[in-house]
Amino acid sequence: MKVAALFVGLAGVASAFAPTKSMSKGTALSGDLKDMAGATMPFKGFDPLGLATLGSESTLAWFRAAELKHSRVAMLATTGYLVQAAGWHFPGMLSSDVSFETLSAMKPLDAWDAVPDLGKAQIYFTIFFAEVVSEAAGTHYTKGGEYPTIVFPPVNFASDDAEKMKIAQSRELNNGRLAMIAIMSFVSAANVPGSVPALIGNPMF
C-alpha cells in the first residue's frame, strides 16, 4: 500500500518523460485538435461535445492541463493497485500496529481503509502541496506558461526534436486515458460485483 501512496505523493512524475508546453494561440483558438499532442488514431480529433471550442484559449489550456493531471494520477493509481494486488510490499511496519505484510494480504481498497488516519493525512497533504507548487510556479498555463510539472528529483528524458516530443506527449496522454479507464474499472469491480466481466472471480476485486 505504501508503494501506491508513494506513487500518488509524486503525482506528475510521468511528465518527466514527456514535458508539455502550452499550445499556440492559433491552435487553441481554431480548436484544431488534430494538431495537438494526443490526437491519434483511432479517434483522431475526438471531441463529440465540442469542448475544444468552448470558451477561450485559456479554457482549452485548462482542459488540457486537467486531462494531463488526471492521466498521470490514473497511471500512478493503476500501478499502485496492481502492486498492492500482487502482494508486493515493504518490510517492517507502516505504523506501531499496522504492518506492510498485513496490508499486502488485503484487497487494495480495504488496505487503504486500514491505513491510520494520520498516514492518510500525510498523503493528502503531500498531494495538496504538489498541487499548490505546480500551480504557483512561473507563468500559469492558462496565460501561456508551461503545463504543471512536479518531479522529485527533476529529470528529463525527452527529445529536443519537436516531432519526437509530440510523439512522446501523445504516448503519455494515450497511456493516461487507458489508465483512467483501468482504474475506474478496478474501482467498479471492487464495489459492484459483476460490473466488469473480465475481473469476475479475481480475488483482488
Side-chain angles (χ1 to χ4, degrees):
M1 187 64 199
K2 189 170 182 179
V3 175
L6 178 61
F7 286 157
V8 173
L10 298 181
V13 69
S15 62
F17 305 100
T20 50
K21 301 281 187 179
S22 296
M23 71 295 291
S24 65
K25 290 185 178 180
T27 299
L29 294 177
S30 67
D32 188 1
L33 298 182
K34 295 181 180 180
D35 292 334
M36 296 178 65
T40 57
M41 297 300 291
F43 303 112
K44 191 174 181 65
F46 182 74
D47 185 24
L49 298 180
L51 296 179
T53 59
L54 179 64
S56 63
E57 175 187 0
S58 295
T59 307
L60 183 57
W62 188 87
F63 284 152
R64 172 43 59 92
E67 182 182 28
L68 280 169
K69 288 184 180 182
H70 282 83
S71 293
R72 292 164 181 169
V73 170
M75 286 188 280
L76 297 173
T78 300
T79 302
Y81 200 108
L82 294 175
V83 167
Q84 168 68 19
W88 298 337
H89 62 86
F90 289 121
M93 304 291 291
L94 175 66
S95 66
S96 59
D97 56 352
V98 179
S99 69
F100 290 115
E101 184 176 3
T102 299
L103 293 177
S104 69
M106 302 178 184
K107 294 180 180 181
L109 296 183
D110 292 337
W112 169 253
D113 289 337
V115 173
D117 289 340
L118 182 58
K120 292 178 182 177
Q122 293 174 19
I123 295 171
Y124 291 144
F125 175 78
T126 302
I127 296 171
F128 171 76
F129 178 76
E131 180 73 3
V132 170
V133 171
S134 66
E135 288 290 327
T139 303
H140 199 264
Y141 50 85
T142 59
K143 298 179 180 179
E146 296 185 9
Y147 288 119
T149 301
I150 289 290
V151 183
F152 303 102
V155 292
N156 184 0
F157 298 117
S159 171
D160 291 330
D161 182 86
E163 187 61 30
K164 290 182 179 179
M165 171 69 78
K166 186 176 181 180
I167 292 174
Q169 292 171 343
S170 295
R171 288 173 177 170
E172 180 188 23
L173 283 164
N174 286 334
N175 287 333
R177 291 161 181 166
L178 180 60
M180 285 189 276
I181 295 173
I183 193 61
M184 286 189 291
S185 298
F186 292 173
V187 173
S188 296
N191 289 280
V192 184
S195 60
V196 184
L199 299 178
I200 293 177
N202 189 305
M204 285 294 108
F205 297 97

